[in-house]
């Protein structure tokens, strides 16, 4: 019986890893599409508030430490590797919880997508630009979107879903 349960846990975990792999591939494919079709500093306006650009970000979110001289490449790579290890453990331990696992998978795939860029190119390729009049949000990519949505899911899970389940058990 214990072996059957362990096998089921491993199967769930592998399915979540496959989803993460698909998301990493989508991230990398979109970045390659941008590299091949958009020149540096080109802006392709899609909607009044949405444009496609080609930007290389050697820093972290919001270009944090972008001008640090190169050491940040390895610093952020190590942080991403540690985060990936932690996320893999958390995903394995929680693979039966769909919402929580989906949040972990999104963050995992985003971390891996940006880690690939950072190691291979020394910077992360960003290409989605949201703007309105004089306001410009820093350019981002599919991996960044996955991380943000995944973090939102984990926050929702931590603040609302778990608390409501605990509340039900108290009644």
């Amino acid at each position: 019986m214990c072996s059957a349960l362990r096998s089921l846990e491993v199967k769930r975990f592998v399915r979540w890893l496959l989803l993460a792999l698909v998301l990493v591939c989508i991230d990398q494919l979109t970045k390659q599409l941008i590299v091949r079709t958009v020149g540096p500093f080109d802006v392709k306006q899609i909607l009044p508030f949405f444009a496609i650009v080609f930007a290389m970000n050697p820093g972290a979110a919001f270009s944090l430490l972008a001008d640090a001289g190169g050491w940040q490449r390895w610093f952020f790579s190590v942080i991403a590797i540690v985060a990936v290890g932690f996320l893999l453990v958390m995903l394995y331990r929680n693979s039966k919880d769909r919402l929580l696992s989906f949040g972990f998978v999104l963050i995992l795939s985003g971390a891996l997508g940006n880690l690939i860029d950072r190691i291979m190119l020394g910077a992360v390729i960003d290409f989605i630009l949201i703007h309105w009049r004089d306001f410009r949000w820093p350019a981002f990519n599919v991996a960044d979107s996955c991380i943000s949505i995944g973090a939102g899911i984990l926050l929702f899970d931590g603040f609302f879903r778990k608390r409501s389940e605990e509340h039900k058990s108290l009644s």
Side-chain angles (χ1 to χ4, degrees), residues 82-161:
V82 170
V84 165
F86 174 76
L87 289 163
L88 287 170
V89 169
M90 295 305 292
L91 181 59
Y92 182 77
R93 288 183 180 171
N94 296 281
S95 63
K96 65 180 176 253
D97 185 327
R98 288 184 180 162
L99 184 64
L100 191 58
S101 292
F102 187 55
F104 288 139
V105 163
L106 287 171
I107 298 170
L108 173 66
S109 61
L112 286 170
N114 284 341
L115 177 63
I116 291 167
D117 285 9
R118 200 171 300 287
I119 289 173
M120 301 297 290
L121 307 170
V124 174
I125 298 170
D126 291 324
F127 59 90
I128 301 168
L129 181 64
I130 304 295
H131 60 90
W132 185 251
R133 297 188 181 157
D134 292 334
F135 170 79
R136 299 223 179 306
W137 189 259
F140 58 99
N141 57 43
V142 172
D144 298 333
S145 299
C146 287
I147 292 169
S148 297
I149 294 167
I153 289 171
L154 294 185
L155 286 171
F156 173 82
D157 183 78
F159 284 120
F160 299 106
R161 196 168 69 108

Side-chain angles (χ1 to χ4, degrees), residues 38-109:
V38 180
F41 309 109
D42 283 353
V43 177
K44 296 187 185 258
Q45 198 65 43
I46 308 298
L47 297 170
F49 58 89
F50 175 75
I52 300 294
V53 298
F54 175 26
M56 297 291 288
N57 179 6
F62 306 104
S63 297
L64 176 70
L65 297 175
D67 298 327
W71 63 267
Q72 74 276 23
R73 173 186 190 177
W74 305 112
F75 175 73
F76 291 130
S77 294
V78 168
I79 289 173
I81 291 166
V82 170
V84 165
F86 174 76
L87 289 163
L88 287 170
V89 169
M90 295 305 292
L91 181 59
Y92 182 77
R93 288 183 180 171
N94 296 281
S95 63
K96 65 180 176 253
D97 185 327
R98 288 184 180 162
L99 184 64
L100 191 58
S101 292
F102 187 55
F104 288 139
V105 163
L106 287 171
I107 298 170
L108 173 66
S109 61

